[in-house]
Amino acid sequence: MADNVTPRVRVPRDATAGEEITIKTLISHPMESGQRKDGDGNVIPRSIINRFTCTFNGETVIDVTLEPAISTNPYFEFQAIVPETGTFEFTWYDDDGDVYTDSKDITVG
Amino acid sequence: MKLTRRHTLMMALGSALAAVMPFRAFAAVEDNIAAFTGGAAVGSEGITLIAPEIAENGNTVPIEVNAPGAEAIIVFAAGNPTPSVATFNFGPMAASQSAATRIRLAGTQDVVAIARMPDGSFVQASQEVKVTIGGCGG
C-alpha cells in the first residue's frame, strides 16, 4: 500500500439553506503512473487512486474516475448544494484495494 | 544479401507502416472519444475548459472544466501514452457541473473535454497546452 496517505478536505463550517459551497480536497499519494522506470530500467508498477467520490447525507455530489494522468497528490475542487445540516463523506479507492475516507459536518444556521 | 521480391515487398510494407504511425497516436484519442459518445455528433457550445497556454512543469498542470447541466465530463490528453485523464460524474447534490484538478502531460498537446448532457447530446472543448518539461518520467 502507499505510505502516509493523508486526506485533507476543506469544507465551510456553516452555510445558509440552499447555499452553494466550494469544496477542496487533497490526498497525499504518489500516483505511480506505470510509465516510469527505476535506475535499472525496470518499469515501476502502476499504483494510483482510481476513484474518488463525495456524498452529502448519502446523495452523490461528484464521482470521479481517475487515470494515471492525474498528478501526484490528487487535488479536486468542486461545488455542492447544502439544503440542510448534514455530513459530507469523502472516499478514495486505491488500486491495491485500500479505501481512504474522511468526513466533514456542516451546519445550516 | 540478395534483394529478392519478398524483401522488396517487406520494405515497402515497412515504409507504409512508418508513414501511418503519426496518425496512430491521434487515432487512440478518436477511439476513446467514440467509446464515450457512441459515435454521436459532438457540439461545441456550453462547455468551457480552462487550462494554461504554457505549462512549465508537465507533472502538475491545473485544469478546470465547466459544463452547466452536464451529467458527466470526460477529459483526454491527446498526446499522453494513455489519453484518458479523468471522468467526472455529477450527482444531484452538485451545485454546478464544474471541477478543477491537476493533470500530467507528456508534452505539448491538446487537452480535450467532452460533456454528456441529460438529453444524450455531447459537447466538446479543447485547448492546446505547451509543456516545457514533460511529466511522464523516462
Side-chain angles (χ1 to χ4, degrees):
Chain A
M1 84 162 255
D3 297 326
N4 301 323
V5 175
T6 321
R8 293 187 203 102
V9 175
R10 178 164 293 180
V11 177
R13 233 175 264 276
D14 42 32
T16 56
E19 189 180 339
E20 298 180 1
I21 59 154
T22 299
I23 298 174
K24 294 177 179 180
T25 72
L26 183 76
I27 185 164
S28 56
H29 192 283
M31 295 292 280
E32 195 56 64
S33 68
Q35 301 281 346
R36 297 197 312 146
K37 291 173 181 166
D38 63 13
D40 303 326
N42 303 315
V43 171
I44 306 170
R46 170 184 142 151
S47 168
I48 68 166
I49 290 171
N50 55 45
R51 187 169 170 229
F52 164 69
T53 63
C54 171
T55 61
F56 180 72
N57 290 349
E59 289 228 56
T60 305
V61 178
I62 195 167
D63 184 338
V64 187
T65 308
L66 289 76
E67 307 284 347
I70 297 290
S71 300
T72 303
N73 303 338
Y75 164 83
F76 289 106
E77 184 181 332
F78 49 92
Q79 279 84 40
I81 306 172
V82 188
E84 68 221 357
T85 299
T87 310
F88 282 102
E89 296 275 354
F90 304 91
T91 317
W92 291 262
Y93 300 85
D94 198 308
D95 265 354
D96 60 18
D98 283 344
V99 174
Y100 317 109
T101 56
D102 199 355
S103 65
K104 292 281 180 209
D105 295 327
I106 188 163
T107 314
V108 169
Chain B
M1 192 182 85
K2 251 173 52 181
L3 198 65
T4 64
R5 189 181 139 94
R6 180 170 296 173
H7 283 129
T8 321
L9 273 173
M10 292 294 267
M11 275 161 64
L13 196 70
S15 55
L17 263 178
V20 171
M21 280 306 272
F23 295 106
R24 280 304 306 163
F26 201 67
V29 185
E30 302 275 295
D31 290 350
N32 278 318
I33 292 173
F36 181 69
T37 62
V42 178
S44 61
E45 293 291 311
I47 181 168
T48 49
L49 166 68
I50 301 168
E53 271 184 38
I54 297 177
E56 285 180 6
N57 183 357
N59 270 312
T60 50
V61 182
I63 62 154
E64 194 180 332
V65 287
N66 184 9
E71 273 182 346
I73 302 178
I74 192 162
V75 180
F76 295 109
N80 273 6
T82 40
S84 298
V85 173
T87 312
F88 302 94
N89 296 292
F90 298 100
M93 302 308 280
S96 66
Q97 282 66 38
S98 72
T101 187
R102 295 171 189 154
I103 66 171
R104 289 180 179 136
L105 296 176
T108 299
Q109 59 180 283
D110 286 335
V111 176
V112 182
I114 301 175
R116 186 177 67 229
M117 296 299 178
D119 62 2
S121 65
F122 295 89
V123 289
Q124 171 179 347
S126 76
Q127 191 186 330
E128 189 188 28
V129 180
K130 291 188 167 67
V131 177
T132 317
I133 304 167
C136 275

